[in-house]
Amino acid sequence: MTAPISRTLVKDARNADAPSDDILLQGWVRTRRDAKTFSFIELGDGSCLKGMQVIVNAALPDYDALMHRSATGASVRVRGKLVASQGAGQKWEVLASEYEVVGDADATYPLQKKGHTPEFLREIAHLRPRSNLFGAVFRVRSRLAYAIHQFFQERGFFYVHTPIITASDCEGAGEMFGVSVLDPAKPPRNPDGSVDYTKDFFGKKTSLTVSGQLEGETFACALSNIYTFGPTFRAENSNTTRHAAEFWMVEPEAAFLDLDGDMQLAEDFVKHLVRDAKTHCAEELEFFGKFTDKGLAERLDFVLERPFQRCSYTQAIEILTTAASAGRKWEHPVAWGENLQSEHERYLSEEHFKCPVTVYNYPRSLKPFYLKVNPPDAAGRETVCAMDLLVPGIGEIIGGSQREERLDVLRENMARQGLAEKDYSWYVDLRRYGTVPHSGFGLGFERMLMFVTGVSNIRDVIPYARTPGNAEF
Ligand code: 4AD
Ligand code: MG
């Protein structure tokens, strides 16, 4: 037996700038092709999209038995020489001098080489990262998670870990998953029959967080610039291609930042992520351009080259109303005071502006309690300093705002929305002690990944999707 050496990843072997006399690869057989006196094995280890061609000579001990066991999916260990490839399609290949099957895979292995639909692969989510598509998606996911930290750290933002279990409902939409250790069959009850949460683990009703923003604000009002990046949970019963019950959100929050600065930060951030993916995931993006979205490269370049458009909510309603007068049919009503629906958001970014667009200053009645209230417009209508970034193909990927820093207005907002000040006293304190204008936003990480990869279903950019009726794996 030759002396042990450390493993080389296929990615590094493919990028080698010189041949090598002794190299060790470990991975899984993607395909095997037998010739008369040798076999070609394409070995992949997940480090990059492509595999390494390995040539196993029939003169190696146990050749027949080893090749018989080297079916698609089997794990193998190969030691040999890295040499310039004779064949087209790859720069290097490996001539095996030692070959070992580590773990067999029989004919039931579901990822035999042929095109599988994303729907089928979702059912075998534990094996799908071994496919080209999902390997590529999850390498991009990893890289962009890194790029998120890089973007904020380089700008002096501190990473804050806000709690996952919380007693406050940031978005006020009542879409929270409860966290309780009470026996659901016989919980302790108050005299009026309601559940007595003072007997529960935390002594009060708690849930999984829908957003780290409120706690993030407390840190921005101390460290100036912060961001969170973590899992977020929403019990919305929307079975769409863009909603997950568990998703990851990035939430920067900055003191002394107004809505304009917030919109600019969001634009710079999105462009940074697109640029980073183009630089560090070029192979993956080329693959997506071939197989998931033919127009991907062009769309991403377009995003980088132009400033994003900005348009107030009131202007957006005018654009949508004008479109309706010109014959455009809307499924959901368009009127000042109504929410923009996905069809409206997509029209604005895909057809009207043909570009990412930030819609700002939404009606006060549509938004949570924490948003800064604008002076009424000429028609006496009230708006708040909210902004949503809409992108072609997806719609909203960012929601953010300038927060209400005035104590009296915040209290009035809370009263309007039926929130008890005692439940948010710590949040209100920020306005009592050294209040400052401050702003932030939330980027849905999965939606950003859909945008960058062209993958059209959120279930396919998260390792194990949690959606209504589905918590497999
Ligand atoms: O617009 P949202 O609800 O904003 C907030 O939660 C604010 N507290 C953020 C802040 O200002 N710090 O959510 C932010 C983003 C959305 O734009 C969307 O990209 C994503 O989170 N998102 C979802 N992604 C996947 N599945 C869901 N169910 C999502 N709900 C929101
Ligand atoms: Mg939103």
Side-chain angles (χ1 to χ4, degrees), residues 398-409:
I398 283 182
S401 60
Q402 182 166 346
R403 324 305 189 187
E404 182 54 76
E405 84 272 21
R406 296 163 295 185
L407 179 61
D408 53 336
V409 186

Side-chain angles (χ1 to χ4, degrees), residues 171 234 345 367 370 387-388 396-400 442 447:
E171 294 305 293
R234 297 202 182 172
E345 296 179 341
K367 294 290 178 179
Y370 55 74
M387 62 105 166
D388 275 0
E396 177 190 340
I397 61 167
I398 283 182
R447 293 207 186 156

Side-chain angles (χ1 to χ4, degrees), residues 241-242 292 393 450 453-461:
T241 55
R242 302 174 309 125
T292 64
M450 292 167 71
T453 60
V455 167
S456 59
N457 196 315
I458 197 165
R459 291 163 181 78
D460 297 331
V461 294

Side-chain angles (χ1 to χ4, degrees), residues 80-341:
K81 279 185 175 27
L82 184 73
V83 299
S85 176
Q86 308 295 309
Q90 68 270 324
K91 188 170 166 205
W92 302 108
E93 62 194 18
V94 169
L95 305 179
S97 54
E98 287 175 29
Y99 186 95
E100 184 190 330
V101 175
V102 178
D104 295 82
D106 66 18
T108 62
Y109 180 62
L111 289 173
Q112 304 296 340
K113 189 157 174 122
K114 63 176 152 98
H116 296 291
T117 64
E119 290 75 20
F120 168 74
L121 290 167
R122 235 171 263 152
E123 289 168 19
I124 51 161
H126 59 305
L127 296 173
R128 70 179 182 168
R130 301 186 192 188
S131 69
N132 281 336
L133 173 66
F134 288 95
V137 165
F138 293 115
R139 280 188 298 274
V140 173
R141 187 173 172 118
S142 167
R143 176 67 214 187
L144 289 192
Y146 179 72
I148 284 166
H149 287 294
Q150 197 182 37
F151 177 86
F152 288 114
Q153 296 282 338
E154 282 174 0
R155 282 163 185 73
F157 284 65
F158 296 103
Y159 182 28
V160 174
H161 300 104
T162 49
I164 305 268
I165 299 174
T166 175
S168 45
D169 181 359
C170 174
E171 294 305 293
E175 292 169 335
M176 303 187 80
F177 287 101
V179 174
S180 173
V181 295
L182 297 177
D183 179 354
K186 42 175 179 33
R189 295 199 182 269
N190 294 311
D192 68 359
S194 61
V195 175
D196 180 5
Y197 286 103
T198 63
K199 305 262 164 36
D200 205 345
F201 190 90
F202 297 105
K204 54 163 71 167
K205 192 168 188 230
T206 53
S207 310
L208 297 177
T209 187
V210 295
S211 162
Q213 178 197 320
L214 302 186
E215 293 90 348
E217 282 183 54
T218 67
F219 271 73
C221 292
L223 308 185
S224 283
N225 297 309
I226 66 98
Y227 67 104
T228 71
F229 179 23
T232 314
F233 307 87
R234 297 202 182 172
E236 324 172 62
N237 206 357
S238 10
N239 225 327
T240 78
T241 55
R242 302 174 309 125
H243 288 89
E246 176 177 328
F247 61 98
W248 281 59
M249 196 167 17
V250 189
E251 296 184 275
E253 190 74 30
F256 303 101
L257 186 73
D258 64 10
L259 189 67
D260 267 337
D262 200 33
M263 293 195 274
Q264 191 59 49
L265 183 68
E267 176 170 345
D268 293 347
F269 179 46
V270 166
K271 286 182 168 168
H272 172 83
L273 296 184
V274 170
R275 208 174 290 119
D276 189 89
K278 277 176 56 96
T279 310
H280 296 281
C281 305
E283 209 178 41
E284 282 78 12
L285 294 197
E286 194 189 322
F287 175 83
F288 297 133
K290 272 192 206 134
F291 296 103
T292 64
D293 179 354
K294 299 253 183 297
L296 183 68
E298 204 188 345
R299 182 156 54 80
L300 295 181
D301 285 339
F302 187 83
V303 165
L304 289 181
E305 284 158 12
R306 256 150 277 242
F308 293 0
Q309 299 294 306
R310 288 187 194 172
C311 134
S312 71
Y313 168 87
T314 302
Q315 289 164 333
I317 294 296
E318 283 163 15
I319 292 166
L320 297 168
T321 313
T322 308
S325 326
R328 179 83 186 200
K329 296 269 176 292
W330 300 120
E331 220 175 286
H332 302 273
V334 172
W336 205 98
E338 298 287 332
N339 243 325
L340 297 182
Q341 301 295 329

Side-chain angles (χ1 to χ4, degrees), residues 20-25 78-82 94-98:
S20 163
D21 279 344
D22 196 8
I23 168 173
L24 171 66
L25 298 180
V78 179
R79 195 158 166 184
K81 279 185 175 27
L82 184 73
V94 169
L95 305 179
S97 54
E98 287 175 29

Side-chain angles (χ1 to χ4, degrees), residues 413-425:
N413 279 350
M414 292 176 69
R416 276 179 179 229
Q417 307 210 1
L419 300 176
E421 198 174 320
K422 70 169 173 38
D423 294 336
Y424 293 85
S425 59

